[in-house]
Amino acid sequence: MKQENYAMLCDFYEFTMSNGYFRNGFYQKTVYFDVFFRDIPDGGGFAIAAGLEQVIDYVKELHFTEEDIAFLRSKQCFDEGFLTYLKEFHFSGDIWAVPEGTPVFPNEPIMTIRAPAIEAQLLETFILLSLNHQSLIATKANRIVRAADGRTVLEFGSRRAQGASGAILGARAAYIGGCAGTACTLTDELYGVPAGGTMAHSWVQMFDTEYEAFKAYCENYPHQATLLVDTYNTLKSGIPNAIRAFKEILLPQGITDFGIRLDSGDIAYLTKKARKMLDAAGLQSCKIVVSNSLDEYLIQDLMAQHAQIDVFGVGERMITAKSTPVFGGVYKLVAIEQPDGSIEPKIKISENITKITNPHFKKVYRFYDKETGKAIADELCLHTETIDASQPHTIFDPIATWKTKEITNYTVRELLVPIFKNGVCVYDQPSLAEICQYCKEQIALLWDEVKRFENPHNYYVDLSHALWEVKQDLLKKNR
């Protein structure tokens, strides 16, 4: 999908700051910004990075039209020189990012931007809204998929999403997080996420009888027949009429792939009753689909009650990440490059310790245990540092510095990969199917303790000694 030109989808202060940079000659300064987040949604043990593809499309297409320039001129606060600069604007810098589908943790860069100050500043809003939104939904979707314990989860949230792009890209993110498909047709057309659906109660109400409605649906869609059985009375009429329609219309054609859907009532009780009725009728292959304001906790409860469910359709609580609807990613200046090529680290200090940034141009390494393959910890390092996996490596807690761990028999990889170089995209964008498979594989490398919903194990994100010393020096210098 080609990205629209969202140049003006930008916080106004990005323009006023950029105008100020232009006036003060800062526009030629090369700066470094990190994108990172501070808290994992829902108190979980990890998040999932998503939204990179849209950032790439945005950066490629970013330019300002004559209409954009005229609008900014009408605000009567921008220099003509700055507006002329915008007429020729194009991104000329470098970007590194973690691939979509990567499990990520607080306070580590998931994207780093190196560019002239104005270019880097003007990217902030779209980068944050894209990464924040899709990472949030991918993370929530994965929690729900894990709660379903191998049963199919479908994204059903378009009508409850926060606007059109929330529905379209939310469904894309949910697919990365592990959903098998979506109700959003446009997401299928644009991104290839399989779209499907059943019927609404209005279909049943349009016919004189419930049976006629089911019979007509089976005749129209013999290979996609999932019948909504709770319009009137689930156990007394809905399921019996569905059984009759299946036996009279589909079984004679040799079709055994069909299902019923429940969207109300006591789901655990009704699915158990439904399973018995279907099995007694010889319809053991009939799937039971459920929906109705589900999330990971309700699904866990249903599973604990031995509800007979094959497919979960999850809507509003996934597509809006209702329990924690904000991802909280931020975009912070971490360094300025001097004319001689040296890099001057920058830090943002706060009384709130969690808001103190990690300065400098950095790499992010992830360590894996060779025996189990599981991820051990991440370490933020200066961009000049390398790690020799043939040698023991000691990591330490950057807050409680006396807590150390020597890692041996490990492999290590850099998480941030080049996306843009000198304004040119150098990243080989994987297909959405490849992203989904990668995400599944990477999550499998996390310990189960990290994947707990309640009180997950704290995955360590540490600083190298060199980076820690740079941070301490800046803290002392600016206290």
Side-chain angles (χ1 to χ4, degrees), residues 234-235 239 260-279 288-291 302 305-312:
T234 299
L235 299 179
I239 295 174
I260 64 169
R261 179 164 74 97
L262 289 162
D263 190 50
S264 61
D266 186 327
I267 297 295
Y269 171 77
L270 290 174
T271 57
K272 289 185 223 179
K273 288 288 187 181
R275 186 75 271 162
K276 288 182 180 179
M277 294 169 70
L278 292 165
D279 289 353
I288 298 176
V289 182
V290 302
S291 50
L302 289 169
Q305 295 170 57
H306 306 292
Q308 299 298 298
I309 300 168
D310 300 291
V311 180
F312 293 94

Side-chain angles (χ1 to χ4, degrees), residues 280-292:
L283 302 180
Q284 289 86 353
S285 66
C286 181
K287 292 184 174 62
I288 298 176
V289 182
V290 302
S291 50
N292 188 26

Side-chain angles (χ1 to χ4, degrees), residues 132-293:
N132 276 337
H133 173 240
Q134 290 199 58
S135 298
L136 176 70
I137 304 306
T139 302
K140 184 65 169 181
N142 187 258
R143 288 172 62 85
I144 291 170
V145 167
R146 285 185 284 123
D149 196 24
R151 290 156 181 80
T152 299
V153 176
L154 302 174
E155 185 281 311
F156 275 9
S158 296
R159 65 191 64 189
R160 303 289 172 80
Q162 318 293 29
S165 63
I168 299 163
L169 294 175
R172 176 187 184 273
Y175 193 56
I176 292 173
C179 288
T182 179
C184 184
T185 309
L186 187 52
T187 303
D188 190 350
E189 181 180 10
L190 296 176
Y191 298 107
V193 178
T198 58
M199 61 171 65
H201 296 105
S202 58
W203 173 273
V204 179
Q205 294 170 305
M206 289 288 287
F207 293 81
D208 290 337
T209 68
E210 189 175 48
Y211 171 71
E212 289 179 279
F214 290 167
K215 178 176 179 290
Y217 201 85
C218 287
E219 290 171 339
N220 279 285
Y221 305 105
H223 297 288
Q224 298 172 304
T226 298
L227 307 179
L228 185 58
V229 296
D230 66 347
T231 303
Y232 302 121
N233 189 304
T234 299
L235 299 179
K236 290 184 179 180
S237 68
I239 295 174
N241 281 323
I243 290 171
R244 181 184 171 191
F246 293 147
K247 284 189 168 184
E248 293 183 359
I249 309 302
L250 299 183
L251 289 186
Q253 301 179 58
I255 298 171
T256 59
D257 185 11
F258 43 74
I260 64 169
R261 179 164 74 97
L262 289 162
D263 190 50
S264 61
D266 186 327
I267 297 295
Y269 171 77
L270 290 174
T271 57
K272 289 185 223 179
K273 288 288 187 181
R275 186 75 271 162
K276 288 182 180 179
M277 294 169 70
L278 292 165
D279 289 353
L283 302 180
Q284 289 86 353
S285 66
C286 181
K287 292 184 174 62
I288 298 176
V289 182
V290 302
S291 50
N292 188 26
S293 298

Side-chain angles (χ1 to χ4, degrees), residues 140 144 293-295 298 314-322:
K140 184 65 169 181
I144 291 170
S293 298
L294 299 172
D295 62 15
L298 288 171
V314 185
E316 63 191 60
R317 297 189 182 187
M318 179 191 296
I319 203 66
T320 65
K322 183 179 178 180

Side-chain angles (χ1 to χ4, degrees), residues 390-438:
S390 68
Q391 300 298 317
H393 187 84
T394 300
I395 59 175
F396 71 102
D397 188 313
I399 304 299
T401 55
W402 62 91
K403 295 181 179 180
T404 65
K405 177 181 177 66
E406 185 179 77
I407 303 175
T408 58
N409 195 31
Y410 65 92
T411 60
V412 63
R413 73 177 177 110
E414 284 191 56
L415 295 188
L416 294 165
V417 300
I419 308 297
F420 283 87
K421 184 67 175 176
N422 297 324
V424 176
C425 184
V426 296
Y427 184 60
D428 186 9
Q429 176 68 36
S431 69
L432 189 56
E434 289 171 330
I435 294 171
C436 294
Q437 182 60 31
Y438 168 78

Side-chain angles (χ1 to χ4, degrees), residues 46 48 100-103 142 145-146 150 175-179 374 432-446 451:
F46 68 96
I48 297 173
E100 289 190 274
T102 302
N142 187 258
V145 167
R146 285 185 284 123
Y175 193 56
I176 292 173
C179 288
K374 299 295 186 181
L432 189 56
E434 289 171 330
I435 294 171
C436 294
Q437 182 60 31
Y438 168 78
C439 183
K440 183 177 180 180
E441 292 169 355
Q442 293 303 305
I443 291 172
L445 299 180
L446 299 177
K451 293 184 275 190

Side-chain angles (χ1 to χ4, degrees), residues 362-402:
K362 298 178 288 293
K363 294 178 180 177
V364 183
Y365 285 102
R366 180 159 293 169
F367 296 85
Y368 301 88
D369 183 89
K370 270 190 177 180
E371 290 186 6
T372 64
K374 299 295 186 181
I376 302 169
D378 292 357
E379 185 175 71
L380 278 57
C381 301
L382 298 178
H383 69 288
T384 53
E385 293 185 84
T386 57
I387 294 176
D388 182 357
S390 68
Q391 300 298 317
H393 187 84
T394 300
I395 59 175
F396 71 102
D397 188 313
I399 304 299
T401 55
W402 62 91

